[in-house]
Amino acid sequence: MAVMMMREAINLALHQEMERDPDLIVLGEDVVGGMGTAGGPESVGGVWRTTTGLYAKYGAERVIDTPISESAIIGAAAGAALTGQRVVAELMFADFIGVCMDQIWNQVAKFRYMFGGRTRCPLVIRMIYGAGVNAAAQHSQSPHAMLTSMPGLKVVMPSNPYDAKGLLLAAIRDDDPVIFMEHKALFGLRGEVPEEDYTIPIGHAQLVREGDDATIVATGQMVGFAARAADALAAQGIACDVLDLRSTSPLDEEAILDSVEQTGRLIVVDEGPPRCGLAGDIAGLVSSKAFMALKAPIEMVTPPHTPVPFARELERAYLPQPEQIEAAVRRALGLQGA
């Protein structure tokens, strides 16, 4: 099995699916390499290098560099998907969804409902999100909770290269709109990825660590942080379930509740803001559906309710760290020094 970076796994998925499905198109800002470039094999494939080589292989009719306009990108993608094209649109930074919010919230998310199920919208919107690379307040946000709250959208958040490829292939083949959120700090993460075709069903969480003492739920970059905390706790004789949600809509409620029923303690780790966020939503779910199983108050490990800082030291203090997750587990267990 090949070992590759997450950006390479995403690129491989796009290459394989464009070869398999001649109706698939890709569009976005600099997905070729920039307006006016030759567009040959030397094209970088965007600033994240996730679309490298697509233009050279599939040409200008299927790989389209757009103007720097999120509303144009999503508007064009939505119209193409509604009329039968299968589309992958890239937003270079998720922070700028405000520019195209009407297209996403009032159009894409509602096509199936507004037309009585007689149409489909096979559109994947790839969004690059997240903090940890010193990109400052306007390029480091995690708006997944806001997108999760919108009925009609599926929201996928891979945490590793294997999942990135399998989930992206599943998303592209889905007949409904999927927000595919790629954490910029994970693009260089390496892992084993099969070169053959495979998909991962959207809506099924992954248990990445097993233990009876506490449940840690996380997404994206926070899954790796949670796993590191669980490893440190294991050395102290504390065993934790670590649940990678993979998607926030649909949410695998059964996996969350089953784990909490077993452990009796829940720690939710989320990179998004704490107010009206994913951590609070999951805490509310467990409080209402598994309250009698809880042996301790639910712990939520999130950033403070502030913009993302630019300074390296402040950004690290802003982001939840493995040490904070470890301390939250110890608090839930009533251990001294937590």
Side-chain angles (χ1 to χ4, degrees), residues 5 41 45 82 95 135 140 142-143 162 271 314 331:
M5 292 185 289
L82 189 63
D95 309 70
S140 302
S142 298
Y162 177 88
E271 189 175 327
L314 290 177
R331 283 195 302 272

Side-chain angles (χ1 to χ4, degrees), residues 14 17 21 51 56 58 64 67 80 109 118 131 176 198 233 252 254 263 299 303 329 331:
L14 291 170
E17 197 62 11
D21 184 355
T51 51
Y58 301 106
I64 305 164
R118 289 174 293 177
D176 288 310
Y198 68 95
L233 289 162
D252 193 345
E254 183 178 356
T263 66
E299 295 279 345
V329 172
R331 283 195 302 272

Side-chain angles (χ1 to χ4, degrees), residues 57-304:
K57 193 169 183 180
Y58 301 106
E61 291 187 357
R62 296 184 63 195
V63 184
I64 305 164
D65 259 346
T66 66
I68 305 174
S69 170
E70 287 77 13
S71 57
I73 294 168
I74 304 305
L82 189 63
T83 55
Q85 196 83 48
R86 200 164 289 272
V87 188
V88 174
E90 179 185 304
L91 293 185
M92 190 181 290
F93 290 95
D95 309 70
F96 301 129
I97 58 170
V99 182
C100 54
M101 187 62 81
D102 180 67
Q103 288 88 340
I104 295 174
W105 192 12
N106 279 330
Q107 308 303 328
V108 169
K110 296 178 173 59
F111 282 153
R112 173 84 77 170
Y113 180 82
M114 296 290 285
F115 293 112
R118 289 174 293 177
T119 188
R120 60 193 183 98
C121 185
L123 166 62
V124 175
I125 304 175
R126 295 179 46 238
M127 293 186 181
I128 290 74
Y129 79 103
V133 297
N134 303 115
Q138 295 177 334
H139 296 78
S140 302
Q141 297 169 92
S142 298
H144 52 280
M146 177 169 54
L147 291 158
T148 300
S149 73
M150 298 177 186
L153 298 178
K154 296 178 181 178
V155 181
V156 176
M157 303 179 72
S159 68
N160 59 77
Y162 177 88
D163 283 5
K165 181 186 174 185
L167 287 168
L168 182 54
L169 289 175
I172 294 172
R173 296 172 191 179
D174 200 300
D175 282 340
D176 288 310
V178 180
I179 307 295
F180 195 84
M181 305 196 71
E182 302 164 15
H183 200 295
K184 61 178 72 70
L186 296 180
F187 275 139
L189 180 68
R190 292 183 178 274
E192 291 187 339
V193 179
E195 295 187 2
E196 62 268 19
D197 184 286
Y198 68 95
T199 60
I200 296 173
I202 296 172
H204 293 268
Q206 167 96 14
L207 188 63
V208 297
R209 296 286 190 283
E210 291 189 58
D212 295 328
D213 294 319
T215 298
I216 307 174
V217 175
T219 60
Q221 179 179 216
M222 294 296 110
V223 173
F225 286 16
R228 284 164 54 188
D231 290 344
L233 289 162
Q236 306 166 37
I238 301 169
C240 297
D241 272 3
V242 176
L243 197 63
D244 178 356
L245 292 178
R246 284 177 164 169
S247 67
T248 58
S249 182
L251 180 68
D252 193 345
E253 295 186 9
E254 183 178 356
I256 298 169
L257 296 172
D258 284 350
S259 178
V260 173
E261 291 280 356
Q262 176 180 317
T263 66
R265 298 175 179 88
L266 173 65
I267 295 85
V268 191
V269 188
D270 187 36
E271 189 175 327
R275 298 297 309 277
C276 302
L278 181 67
D281 183 63
I282 293 172
L285 166 72
V286 172
S287 295
S288 64
K289 293 189 176 182
F291 182 79
M292 298 306 294
L294 290 172
K295 302 173 184 176
I298 296 170
E299 295 279 345
M300 294 186 288
V301 183
T302 70

